[in-house]
Amino acid sequence: MANSESRLPPGQRERPDFPRFGLGSFASRFPPEPERMRLSIGGKVGQPMEIGALDAALPRSEQLSDFHCVTGWSSRSLRWGGVRFADFHREIVLPQCTPAADCQWVVLKGADGYRSILLLDDLLAGDVLLADTLDGRPLGVDHGAPLRIVAPAHYGYKNVKHLSAIEYWPDRSRYRFPRPYPQFMDHPRARVAHQERGQFFPPGLLLGFYRLLVPSSVNRSARALRKYMQKRNKQG
Ligand SMILES: Nc1nc2c(c(=O)[nH]1)N[C@H]1C(S)=C(S)[C@@H](COP(=O)(O)O)O[C@H]1N2
Ligand SMILES: [Mo]
């Protein structure tokens, strides 16, 4: 497992903190009801379904993992809690929704309009969580309340926050990286160890460009969060 003694993957630099992070317009987007879990399971399935809580019978899991944003920053040894995606898939999705046998891809959608896609095989890895706690506390709106994907072997942009839908599909034809992100930013697998940062351009070039965006994106995300919290506090 990733820990503080292990070396960082290629191109990554450690940050002492774990900032809220969203590029472009996503810095100032929030889910309408971050305290309420509503997760739909769909796509090419026999029976779509909507759930309002993780089944209490599913085994809970805690893990320490490093988090790697494609823009080059990493936060180390984050303590996530939740349910393994593999357990959820096997215990809930397979028996109750029956995805078609040829569904290799899974689209993950966030309640803020964000989305990403991963191979089902990648999501079934033992360190992929449907996480609802960080550091032993329920996820805050900054880090994906009420539920997010944690897939440590994949760049941050695959780790969808505010998870609202999981869709099973045979191919990637129904999926598009959310606007205003250009397609080159979206690698189908985005494995950190292989520096699959994006498409069409070499990873070093993307990284050089991305690094320039980090300070302003971190600031913008933090400012938007402060504004959001002020508004919420006023509303009571
Ligand atoms: N719903 C949603 N999920 C998202 C994003 C987003 O803007 N919205 N940004 C992605 C990116 S680029 C990164 S690096 C991580 C950041 O997670 P954090 O804000 O908890 O640090 O979330 C990813 N998941
Ligand atoms: Mo990111």
Side-chain angles (χ1 to χ4, degrees), residues 18-23 26-27 29 67-71 73 80 109-115 134 142-144 148 155-163 181:
F18 180 40
R20 173 175 188 262
F21 200 84
L23 280 177
F26 280 91
R29 286 204 210 170
F67 188 94
H68 309 291
C69 176
V70 72
T71 61
W73 59 266
W80 300 104
K109 294 183 173 169
D112 59 348
Y114 187 82
R115 55 187 176 266
L134 174 61
D142 49 347
H143 293 303
R148 80 176 296 167
Y155 285 116
Y157 68 91
K158 297 292 184 181
N159 293 237
V160 173
K161 300 189 282 187
H162 321 298
L163 190 66
Y181 297 114

Side-chain angles (χ1 to χ4, degrees), residues 131-180:
D132 57 7
T133 71
L134 174 61
D135 258 333
R137 284 186 294 274
L139 287 185
V141 76
D142 49 347
H143 293 303
L147 187 74
R148 80 176 296 167
I149 294 282
V150 170
H154 303 264
Y155 285 116
Y157 68 91
K158 297 292 184 181
N159 293 237
V160 173
K161 300 189 282 187
H162 321 298
L163 190 66
S164 63
I166 302 178
E167 294 177 5
Y168 291 75
W169 295 111
D171 54 44
R172 294 189 293 136
S173 62
R174 314 270 186 129
Y175 167 78
R176 197 194 173 278
F177 207 39
R179 289 173 207 287

